[in-house]
């Protein structure tokens, strides 16, 4: 029997989600082991460790003026992810903890999508369980984008406090980055789950109609 292009695509996505889930689970298992080894001193003591942060950086730049005019200054501002070399282990461990928490929430969404595409690849398109899987995935996406900004902000603030002092013309602050697109994506998935639930109920009613 010929397999449609939609079925082939569904199976491909399911296999890709299998690989991503295996990689995510492996990373989430390895990170606590690394944290324990660092805490026990097995990995040795180092002067500093890299800490992933989300920062806003302000740089004061002198403006060269004409000889008969006073010198000026302008502020250059940028914001985004950055890696700081922070002495000690505390900020690094907190960063690992934040990554682990967000990774677990992301893994929930990933596993729900994987289970959904597994059902679709079997031909179970209009089943009530599918809408529940999609709904739970949407809730996980929404939770990730709500929890991530304050956790990253707190971890970045700790890293800045423990990082070496910067030149006076450079000011670094933790950035609170809220992804509106991510929140809307989570809400859209939840709405789609409701639509799929209604479609499943209608399909079940039609199947019972003689």
């Amino acid at each position: 029997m010929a397999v449609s292009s939609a079925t082939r695509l569904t199976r491909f996505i399911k296999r890709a989600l299998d690989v991503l889930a295996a990689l995510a689970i492996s990373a989430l298992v390895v990170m606590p082991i690394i944290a324990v080894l660092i805490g026990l001193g097995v990995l040795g003591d180092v002067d500093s460790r890299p800490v992933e942060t989300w920062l806003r950086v302000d740089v004061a730049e002198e403006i060269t003026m004409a000889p008969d005019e006073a010198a000026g200054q302008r502020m250059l501002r940028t914001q985004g992810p950055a890696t700081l070399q922070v002495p000690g282990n505390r900020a690094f461990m907190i960063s690992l903890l934040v990554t682990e928490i967000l990774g677990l929430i992301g893994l929930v969404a990933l596993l729900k999508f994987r289970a959904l595409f597994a059902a679709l690849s079997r031909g179970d398109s209009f089943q009530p369980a599918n809408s529940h899987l999609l709904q739970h995935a949407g809730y996980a996406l929404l939770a990730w984008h709500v929890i991530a900004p304050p956790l990253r902000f707190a971890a970045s603030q700790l890293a800045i406090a423990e990082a070496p002092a910067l030149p006076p013309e450079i000011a670094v602050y933790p950035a609170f980055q809220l992804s509106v697109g991510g929140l809307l994506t989570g809400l859209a998935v939840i709405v789609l789950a409701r639509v799929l639930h209604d479609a499943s109920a209608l399909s079940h009613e039609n199947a019972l109609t003689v």
Side-chain angles (χ1 to χ4, degrees):
M1 183 176 61
V3 179
S4 67
S5 58
T7 301
R8 286 196 296 268
L9 179 60
T10 301
R11 291 175 179 174
F12 172 78
I13 295 175
K14 192 265 181 184
R15 294 190 191 99
L17 292 174
D18 288 341
V19 174
L20 290 176
L23 293 175
I25 292 172
S26 300
L28 292 173
V29 170
V30 169
M31 278 191 293
I33 295 175
I34 293 176
V36 170
L37 293 177
I38 291 175
L40 295 176
V42 175
L43 298 182
D45 295 328
V46 295
D47 294 335
S48 63
R49 296 190 185 276
V51 178
E52 298 298 324
T53 59
W54 196 281
L55 305 177
R56 192 191 86 205
V57 181
D58 296 339
V59 181
E61 182 183 51
E62 295 292 336
I63 301 176
T64 303
M65 309 295 288
D68 58 341
E69 297 180 358
Q73 191 179 73
R74 64 179 177 181
M75 187 68 68
L76 303 178
R77 176 170 295 174
T78 185
Q79 178 174 306
T83 301
L84 292 180
Q85 289 293 134
V86 181
N89 293 328
R90 186 170 68 161
F92 179 75
M93 301 283 276
I94 293 297
S95 177
L96 278 183
L97 178 61
V98 169
T99 303
E100 185 78 10
I101 293 172
L102 296 179
L104 288 171
I105 298 174
L107 180 62
V108 171
L110 184 59
L111 292 177
K112 296 300 180 181
F113 280 122
R114 177 189 173 278
L116 173 62
F117 277 91
L120 294 177
S121 65
R122 294 192 301 267
D124 300 332
S125 301
F126 295 103
Q127 296 296 324
N130 291 348
S131 62
H132 295 306
L133 290 171
L134 193 59
Q135 185 180 51
H136 294 159
Y139 284 141
L141 288 174
L142 195 61
W144 195 97
H145 287 285
V146 169
I147 294 173
L151 287 181
R152 287 176 170 172
F153 183 91
S156 299
Q157 192 169 36
L158 175 62
I160 293 171
E162 297 190 352
L166 295 171
E169 65 271 15
I170 301 177
V172 179
Y173 309 94
F176 191 90
Q177 186 71 16
L178 185 65
S179 174
V180 177
L183 293 173
L184 292 177
T185 299
L187 291 173
V189 171
I190 294 172
V191 171
L192 287 175
R194 184 60 190 176
V195 172
L196 181 59
H197 179 271
D198 293 342
S200 300
L202 182 61
S203 176
H204 181 68
E205 290 177 4
N206 291 337
L208 296 178
T209 302
V210 179

